[in-house]
Amino acid sequence: MSSQYDLQILQEIEDPTIRPKLIMGESTTYASLDNDVIGIIEGFTQKTSIVWYLMIGATLSVLTMLGGIVAYLIATGVGIWGNQSPVFWGWPIVNFVFWVGIAHAGTLISAILFLLKQDWRTSINRFAEAMTIFAVCCAGLFPGIHVGRMWVVYWLFPIPNQMEMWPNFRSPLLWDVFAVGTYATISLLFWYMGLIPDLATIRDRATTKLRQGLYAVFSMGWTGSSRHWHRYEKAYLILAGLATPLVLSVHTVVSFDFAVAQLPGWHTTIFPPYFVAGAIFSGFAMVNTLIIPIRSIFKLQHIVTLRHLEVMNKVILATGSMVGYAYAMEFFIAWYSGNPYERFVFENRAFGNYAWAYWTMVSCNVIFPQLFWIKKIRRSVPAMLCVCILVNVGMWFERFVITVSSLSRDFLPGSWNYFKPTVFDYLTFLGSFGLFFTLFLLFVRFLPMIAISEVKGILYKQNHTGH
Amino acid sequence: MDNNQNDLPHLGLLAEYETPEALLSASEKVRDGGYKRWDTHTPFPVHGIDEAMGIKPTILPWIVLGAGATGTCTALLLQWWSNAVAYPFLISGKPLFSWIPAFPITFELTVLFAGVTTLFAMLGLNRLPQLHHPLFEVKRFARATQDRFFLAIDSADPLFNDSSARALLEGTGASAIEEVPNMGASKTPPMWLLQIAVVLAFASFVPLGVIYSAWENTTDKPAWHFVWDMDFQESYRTGEKVPLFADGMAMRPEIPGTVATGELHQNTEYYAGKTADGSLIGTAPVAVDAALLARGQQRFAIYCTPCHGDSGYGDGIVQRRAQKLISIGGANGWVSPTNITTDAIGGQTDGQIFNSITEGVRTMPAYGSQIPVGDRWAIVLYVRALQRAANATIDDVPAANRGGL
């Protein structure tokens, strides 16, 4: 999986006299960037398309299965899942938090790293933002179908209804509706705005009337006018400024769903920062998991270089350590509080019924990412792919442990129960991957995976600041 | 636009440059030439072009600020009006509206309003979408979004003069100069597109109208049940005839001769403070020791002090609040908690005080269901201690301690 560029950069990083470039390749020009990125979309008539059709065929069948399950669910009720007293928040909520968490990487990369002037973000931001939006779609699905009576799901929104009732604005679950809704909207707008100049490039390179017409509509007649760029850049800065606190608020609010409840194991003030760190952790791992195969399939190793991947791995290492610290802190606080229920929950987590899930989580989230301290592993593509996939697994288990292990052993021993997922739990979760990858494949097929106009700016900067 | 624009030979001049630097220096010249209607077009934002062209800072941030403030107000009004006025939500006696729980939604709506406005105001200020632009008629202009840098002077500029503008551009080192052709009015969007747009715009109101009419009107037709077993869940009601049991009753009767766990209260002196024939007992049927008395003190502090006060004088916080309200004309019909250290209460039997706690007295509510029986006896003993303390004489103080008084 390593390419000539990867080998080259490995040497450059070790040589202190060279400042490694963000965009590699001696012959990389504005035009060659267009060819490399838009060429993927334009050249889709030959060999690649067969693979693509096979893949989207597979993901579409999974998506169709999800549609069938949702129909069955609506007709029958949430009883088809394993949700049972006292674990009424089973896999659907676990999956919801899992996907929302993943959705944090995109906006973090595009907004926070933008404000911090991290130029390396331009090679991966488009990709990460797309992933964000698709992950939010998957996340939004679960609370929607989890409410049981989907046809009255509009009761969640503050619109006058036939009972003349209003939602309870002091419920964290309602805050969640607003936070996730705002996040989805703003991410989509941010993403679309970034796409406008690149869509115009596709329009201007188009050789068929259909492609030209379609991309013309979506690029809204962008001419690259400097007067437009002036407002565009200002708007981008403002959106980045707005999205930064937003991205932090979203997982904070998601954590309130748990933390505001009195259940031992949920009712802790550490949840907001701990959830946000976990979200960045899982999101970055997902970006790496997806971009590693994509960059080698579509030959983008000179734009998304090994250096980019390494920086991502460092972020994974940092956030993974924060998550590990939070796990330890939860135990400390449970002991220090002297609260017998709190202590019991944590003892039970590590050594009780769900110990297998707990230790899966700890090894995937805390132990394996620590391997990234070792340079060799951090810079080896196959090794990092393994670690990132493990992190994704671990983060799913984290949400499972928090949700299920706390609920299944609540205050009343009489109602304790062991949660058992049904086949529909598995299939619904699998189905959400069908949705995710269908959207993802469409993105790869029809939209530029790299923010070309931004990368051009970086290329210009790189060639003119005496590197 | 001028009226005679259709007659112009061309709409302006377009110059192409290979590098951003060439464009920057050309821009400075055109700016200094005094032109107003001109623009540059680049594949990525060129650093320094704003000064080179004399572009003034955009008002976009102020628009966004206004939108954000609107979002904040909308959120606060919405939460206050819907939860405190239109449909008051009383939760654990908390105020109907308070700032802290209103914060998350206020923040989200502020960001939502500001963010959506940012994009649309940016597009609006840029007069986008505008699918057709005269420059698109120039073939080479396609590279403006790829790898070339362009400068265009509009012939509608008051200073515009074909030969002088051309001479100016030639002096800037442009790699090519072209005229922007005048296509006249032929490039307006076709009529049918407009018609479809109008029809769609009207059609988009139909669903809203249907919902509104459904909301406004009542009907006597039976409701639709989409999911039968969710709307009608089978369960037996009290008093319903069921086939499950021989007696056909849904409720199961108590089995004769059985008592639920912990419910066998045969010892009436202990559990009710009464003898078997129903008369109140004299002394508490419990062994008195310091631990029990301490327990009584602690329970009394929790259950009785709010009304009767720390020492039982009937001056607890509830009473003091009531007196305050009375002084301003409120708390009509208030009955003060009794001073339980008086002789009248001191003369009552233990059983009677126990009974007052368990069953309540006139306006005092019953506490039997809240305080376990053992604790009730402990409280009775502590009330005795209070009565004794309130009526103490110097003889009650041990001789050794009298010096400290």
Side-chain angles (χ1 to χ4, degrees):
Chain A
M1 255 191 260
S2 44
S3 69
Q4 98 206 37
Y5 295 111
D6 291 356
L7 299 174
Q8 186 189 336
I9 210 157
L10 280 177
Q11 287 166 359
E12 286 183 8
I13 297 179
E14 292 304 328
D15 183 348
T17 60
I18 312 178
R19 181 121 189 255
K21 290 179 173 171
L22 281 175
I23 313 298
M24 301 180 61
E26 292 309 314
S27 54
T28 305
T29 61
Y30 306 135
S32 82
L33 277 175
D34 286 344
N35 281 333
D36 291 343
V37 179
I38 302 178
I40 297 172
I41 302 166
E42 292 167 341
F44 236 95
T45 42
Q46 300 103 20
K47 225 175 52 204
T48 34
S49 63
I50 299 175
V51 183
W52 185 83
Y53 277 114
L54 283 177
M55 283 166 67
I56 198 145
T59 62
L60 273 177
S61 2
V62 178
L63 182 59
T64 315
M65 174 207 71
L66 176 69
I69 289 185
V70 171
Y72 177 54
L73 175 83
I74 294 178
T76 317
V78 286
I80 67 167
W81 287 324
N83 302 11
Q84 206 28 281
S85 172
V87 186
F88 291 112
W89 271 14
W91 279 32
I93 298 300
V94 174
N95 297 341
F96 161 69
V97 183
F98 171 76
W99 282 116
V100 183
I102 285 179
H104 277 60
T107 311
L108 184 97
I109 292 175
S110 28
I112 300 187
L113 297 186
F114 176 77
L115 296 182
L116 297 177
K117 296 205 181 352
Q118 296 293 306
D119 285 342
W120 59 271
R121 66 180 263 290
T122 55
S123 294
I124 47 169
N125 70 341
R126 170 72 41 75
F127 192 84
E129 286 167 28
M131 188 201 73
T132 287
I133 289 162
F134 308 149
V136 173
C137 292
C138 296
L141 172 79
F142 284 100
I145 58 178
H146 185 240
V147 295
R149 305 189 181 200
M150 275 123 271
W151 50 97
V152 290
V153 83
Y154 64 94
W155 287 356
L156 286 170
F157 301 102
I159 38 182
N161 58 41
Q162 68 274 35
M163 301 166 301
E164 315 246 316
M165 266 169 66
W166 289 91
N168 174 8
F169 281 102
R170 274 172 287 183
S171 159
L173 298 182
L174 192 70
W175 303 345
D176 223 13
V177 174
F178 278 82
V180 176
T182 302
Y183 188 57
T185 314
I186 298 293
S187 306
L188 189 67
L189 295 184
F190 204 19
W191 186 58
Y192 177 62
M193 188 173 135
L195 273 168
I196 292 175
D198 292 353
L199 295 177
T201 311
I202 304 181
R203 169 199 69 196
D204 290 343
R205 283 171 56 108
T207 44
T208 64
K209 267 248 144 12
L210 178 69
R211 180 179 303 147
Q212 188 184 27
L214 270 178
Y215 287 94
V217 169
F218 287 104
S219 62
M220 297 196 175
W222 182 258
T223 60
S225 152
S226 291
R227 297 178 198 280
H228 291 185
W229 273 123
H230 170 73
R231 299 189 187 101
Y232 179 92
E233 285 199 284
K234 188 56 105 201
Y236 203 90
L237 181 69
I238 294 174
L239 270 183
L242 289 171
T244 297
L246 177 65
V247 72
L248 300 181
S249 84
V250 176
H251 228 54
T252 301
V253 169
V254 171
S255 82
F256 285 163
D257 291 348
F258 298 90
V260 173
Q262 262 95 337
L263 193 74
W266 286 5
H267 192 59
T268 60
T269 48
I270 201 176
F271 262 28
Y274 154 35
F275 267 52
V276 171
I280 297 167
F281 181 56
S282 68
F284 273 48
M286 192 58 138
V287 171
N288 262 1
T289 312
L290 294 175
I291 209 156
I292 289 170
I294 291 280
R295 74 196 266 274
S296 74
I297 293 172
F298 295 110
K299 312 236 166 338
L300 297 171
Q301 285 108 331
H302 56 305
I303 305 176
V304 183
T305 67
L306 196 58
R307 216 178 127 207
H308 289 102
L309 301 181
E310 194 192 350
V311 179
M312 297 281 288
N313 290 341
K314 286 182 182 168
V315 177
I316 291 173
L317 174 59
T319 47
S321 306
M322 290 181 207
V323 168
Y325 171 78
Y327 295 162
M329 213 56 198
E330 275 188 320
F331 270 83
F332 171 73
I333 295 291
W335 167 78
Y336 187 69
S337 70
N339 178 336
Y341 300 100
E342 199 73 29
R343 282 191 189 175
F344 166 77
V345 156
F346 283 91
E347 267 162 36
N348 181 57
R349 253 187 208 177
F351 308 108
N353 278 343
Y354 291 101
W356 56 274
Y358 183 78
W359 294 107
T360 311
M361 165 190 104
V362 169
S363 23
C364 291
N365 291 351
V366 186
I367 301 173
F368 288 115
Q370 297 301 319
L371 291 174
F372 281 157
W373 287 106
I374 304 165
K375 233 184 244 170
K376 258 227 159 70
I377 295 183
R378 195 164 71 216
R379 289 178 188 162
S380 147
V381 174
M384 68 172 93
L385 188 60
C386 292
V387 173
C388 288
I389 291 175
L390 285 176
V391 167
N392 285 319
V393 174
M395 284 308 289
W396 189 88
F397 273 96
E398 180 196 293
R399 279 61 177 254
F400 176 81
V401 166
I402 293 176
T403 310
V404 174
S405 82
S406 312
L407 278 173
S408 72
R409 293 277 179 275
D410 60 359
F411 290 109
L412 207 63
S415 65
W416 288 359
N417 207 345
Y418 190 78
F419 174 80
K420 279 190 238 50
T422 66
V423 62
F424 291 104
D425 280 302
Y426 293 105
L427 292 180
T428 319
F429 186 44
L430 179 70
S432 68
F433 278 94
L435 174 62
F436 182 78
F437 282 109
T438 303
L439 292 169
F440 197 77
L441 285 167
L442 290 172
F443 163 68
V444 168
R445 172 71 184 85
F446 293 109
L447 294 172
M449 273 183 279
I450 309 278
I452 319 170
S453 68
E454 288 191 49
V455 172
K456 282 177 186 166
I458 297 298
L459 188 65
Y460 173 75
K461 213 162 137 185
Q462 177 171 296
N463 292 340
H464 288 79
T465 45
H467 270 300
Chain B
M1 280 203 199
D2 297 351
N3 285 337
N4 59 350
Q5 209 189 20
N6 286 351
D7 318 329
L8 290 173
H10 60 78
L11 296 177
L13 290 175
L14 179 71
E16 183 194 272
Y17 301 88
E18 311 234 329
T19 64
E21 288 80 13
L23 180 73
L24 278 174
S25 71
S27 300
E28 282 162 5
K29 289 194 183 115
V30 175
R31 177 194 68 195
D32 296 341
Y35 287 97
K36 290 277 168 308
R37 302 190 57 156
W38 64 289
D39 204 348
T40 57
H41 301 266
T42 58
F44 56 87
V46 171
H47 190 70
I49 196 87
D50 294 352
E51 301 88 87
M53 289 176 65
I55 298 177
K56 294 198 191 67
T58 165
I59 58 159
L60 184 68
W62 296 104
I63 301 178
V64 174
L65 181 70
T70 314
T72 313
C73 298
T74 309
L76 288 174
L77 274 174
L78 175 70
Q79 294 178 77
W80 165 77
W81 181 78
S82 62
N83 275 188
V85 180
Y87 188 74
F89 254 103
L90 195 60
I91 298 167
S92 318
K94 290 175 189 150
L96 291 174
F97 179 82
S98 55
W99 296 97
I100 294 174
F103 186 80
I105 288 180
T106 309
F107 172 79
E108 300 299 340
L109 280 192
T110 306
V111 170
L112 183 67
F113 277 48
V116 172
T117 306
T118 309
L119 176 71
F120 288 102
M122 184 274 285
L123 290 174
L125 290 172
N126 285 345
R127 305 257 183 291
L128 294 177
Q130 181 192 24
L131 294 194
H132 178 257
H133 192 284
L135 286 172
F136 290 154
E137 296 304 325
V138 184
K139 235 186 156 39
R140 85 170 58 239
F141 186 71
R143 294 180 77 174
T145 53
Q146 300 172 40
D147 58 349
R148 283 291 186 274
F149 304 84
F150 290 88
L151 192 157
I153 306 182
D154 193 333
S155 58
D157 191 293
L159 277 184
F160 189 84
N161 168 304
D162 197 274
S163 52
S164 66
R166 198 178 288 267
L168 176 72
L169 290 177
E170 268 161 8
T172 58
S175 56
I177 297 177
E178 269 194 50
E179 294 175 355
V180 182
N182 186 352
M183 308 297 283
S186 66
K187 270 292 183 173
T188 49
M191 206 50 202
W192 57 267
L193 208 71
L194 212 70
Q195 286 164 347
I196 291 182
V198 170
V199 170
L200 283 182
F202 276 105
S204 68
F205 283 97
V206 172
L208 272 182
V210 171
I211 292 173
Y212 183 74
S213 79
W215 192 45
E216 282 291 281
N217 296 314
T218 49
T219 172
D220 45 19
K221 288 200 206 96
W224 289 345
H225 296 287
F226 297 100
V227 182
W228 197 263
D229 65 355
M230 273 205 159
D231 287 349
F232 304 97
Q233 300 181 5
E234 280 182 44
S235 61
Y236 293 118
R237 260 151 249 209
T238 325
E240 197 173 332
K241 188 168 160 55
V242 303
L244 295 176
F245 304 106
D247 61 3
M249 291 203 301
M251 289 294 285
R252 302 319 298 147
E254 238 172 59
I255 300 168
T258 61
V259 174
T261 315
E263 297 282 294
L264 183 64
H265 295 163
Q266 266 180 331
N267 183 350
T268 56
E269 297 202 358
Y270 182 67
Y271 285 102
K274 292 172 186 164
T275 57
D277 60 25
S279 56
L280 293 163
I281 61 169
T283 37
V286 288
V288 184
D289 59 13
L292 191 63
L293 214 56
R295 174 77 182 170
Q297 177 177 26
Q298 192 228 13
R299 294 290 109 178
F300 183 89
I302 294 173
Y303 290 107
C304 316
T305 51
C307 297
H308 289 284
D310 291 339
S311 313
Y313 295 146
D315 59 352
I317 190 163
V318 175
Q319 164 72 353
R320 277 178 275 145
R321 170 86 180 137
Q323 294 308 318
K324 193 148 223 168
L325 289 178
I326 289 167
S327 73
I328 57 169
N332 285 332
W334 172 253
V335 178
S336 298
T338 312
N339 176 352
I340 52 176
T341 63
T342 57
D343 288 346
I345 309 299
Q348 292 181 354
T349 62
D350 285 356
Q352 184 155 9
I353 296 179
F354 180 87
N355 192 60
S356 298
I357 302 174
T358 311
E359 308 285 349
V361 190
R362 297 180 299 275
T363 46
M364 175 179 145
Y367 285 88
S369 60
Q370 293 171 48
I371 311 176
V373 61
D375 285 346
R376 265 177 270 152
W377 283 118
I379 292 175
V380 169
L381 294 174
Y382 184 67
V383 169
R384 286 283 180 249
L386 285 176
Q387 290 165 347
R388 176 89 188 272
N391 302 305
T393 62
I394 195 74
D395 301 331
D396 291 324
V397 182
N401 293 354
R402 284 182 196 165
L405 289 174

